[in-house]
Amino acid sequence: MKKRKWTYKLLVRLPLLFIAFSFALVLLLRYVPIKYTPLMLKRSIENRKVESFKNQHTWVSLDKISPQLAKAVVLTEDQKFYQHHGFDWEEIRKMRDDHLNKGTKIRGCSTISQQTAKNVFTFGSRTGARKICEAYWTVLIELLWSKDRIMEVYLNVIEMGPGIYGAEAAARHYFNCQADKLTRRQAISIAICLPNPLKSNPTKLTPYLRNRCNTLLEQMQ
C-alpha cells in the first residue's frame, strides 16, 4: 500500500504540482520585470575569480527600447517571430534534411521565443535535458504571454557581452546612450553579435560582420 502511495506521488502528484507551479510562475512573469536570470548566476559563478567582472543589467519597458533593435533582432534571429507559435518547424525540417542529405552540421534553429525561455528558465547548458525544458517553457510563454511581452523580456535578458544583459545595459556600455536612442546601425551592430556575444563587440566589428551590417542596413531600409 505504501509503495502505491509513493508511486502515485512520484508519477502523478509531483508532475501535476510542477505544471501548476510553472503555469503560476509564467503568469506572474507576464507582468513582473525579470531582473535576474539563471544565466546571470551562472556567469557570476564562472567569473567569481575575475575582480573586474560584474553583471550589468537594467530592466526597461519595451517602449523604452528603440524599435530599430526589435526590428534588427527579428531580421537577424527569427524572421518568422510574429507568425510562428514558438518553433520554426520549416527551418527545423530544412536543417534536418540538409544534415541527412548533405552531411552539413546540425545548426541552431532557436527562435526568439526559445531563446527567451532558455535565458529565463534554464542555465543554458548544452544538453538534451535542457532542450526539453526549453521546449516546455517555450510552449508556456507562447500560450500565456503576448508576442510583445516575449520581445520585451528577450531584449531585457539576452546576453549582449561579457556581463552585459539587455538593451539598456548594452546601449550604455557600447554607445553611451539609452536603449531608446539607439540608431539603426547601432541596433544592427548589437543584433549581429548576439550569436557570439562573449567574443563579438558591436563597436569593433570584424570585416565579415561589418559587411553583414551594411547588407542588413539596406534590407531594413
Side-chain angles (χ1 to χ4, degrees):
M1 199 66 179
K2 289 183 177 180
K3 187 176 181 181
R4 287 185 179 178
K5 286 184 177 180
W6 277 105
T7 303
Y8 174 77
K9 288 181 179 180
L10 184 64
L11 299 180
V12 179
R13 290 187 65 182
L14 286 179
L16 287 176
L17 285 172
F18 173 75
I19 291 172
F21 167 77
S22 57
F23 265 79
L25 178 61
V26 173
L27 273 174
L28 175 66
L29 296 181
R30 179 178 178 177
Y31 306 101
V32 177
I34 301 168
K35 297 187 177 181
Y36 203 76
T37 67
L39 182 61
M40 295 179 194
L41 175 60
K42 179 182 177 182
R43 294 293 188 235
S44 295
I45 294 173
E46 291 173 346
N47 294 278
R48 62 188 180 279
K49 295 183 180 180
V50 181
E51 293 184 4
S52 60
F53 181 85
K54 66 176 181 177
N55 285 330
Q56 302 175 54
H57 177 244
T58 301
W59 177 278
V60 292
S61 58
L62 188 59
D63 62 352
K64 297 294 184 181
I65 300 174
S66 170
Q68 301 296 337
L69 184 56
K71 293 177 182 178
V73 297
V74 168
L75 183 62
T76 59
E77 295 290 296
D78 183 5
Q79 295 186 16
K80 297 177 184 175
F81 172 65
Y82 289 101
Q83 284 77 49
H84 64 61
H85 299 287
F87 307 93
D88 189 343
W89 296 111
E90 182 179 346
E91 191 65 22
I92 291 173
R93 283 193 293 270
K94 184 175 183 300
M95 179 272 292
R96 180 201 61 189
D97 292 342
D98 286 345
H99 175 67
L100 293 176
N101 300 326
K102 302 178 183 179
T104 57
K105 292 182 179 180
I106 295 177
R107 53 186 170 80
C109 297
S110 292
T111 62
I112 285 175
S113 301
Q114 288 175 274
Q115 293 179 56
T116 303
K118 178 185 73 173
N119 278 273
V120 175
F121 300 104
T122 80
F123 285 95
S125 59
R126 296 176 179 272
T127 64
R130 192 269 291 172
K131 294 297 290 184
I132 293 173
C133 289
E134 177 190 299
Y136 173 75
W137 292 107
T138 299
V139 171
L140 284 190
I141 65 174
E142 280 282 344
L143 181 65
L144 300 175
W145 294 359
S146 66
K147 285 290 188 178
D148 281 349
R149 178 56 176 175
I150 294 174
M151 178 61 73
E152 181 177 62
V153 173
Y154 175 81
L155 291 177
N156 270 284
V157 303
I158 194 71
E159 190 172 34
M160 295 183 170
I164 302 167
Y165 303 92
E168 184 69 14
R172 292 181 183 181
H173 180 82
Y174 294 118
F175 301 109
N176 195 32
C177 68
Q178 294 176 311
D180 61 348
K181 298 296 189 295
L182 287 169
T183 66
R184 181 177 292 167
R185 178 176 287 277
Q186 290 169 344
I188 293 177
S189 297
I190 291 174
I192 60 177
C193 290
L194 292 181
N196 196 358
L198 298 182
K199 293 184 178 180
S200 301
N201 186 319
T203 63
K204 300 176 182 178
L205 298 177
T206 63
Y208 167 76
L209 289 179
R210 196 177 301 115
N211 289 335
R212 186 155 187 254
C213 179
N214 292 332
T215 300
L216 293 171
L217 271 171
E218 293 178 4
Q219 292 182 18
M220 284 184 68
Q221 290 172 354

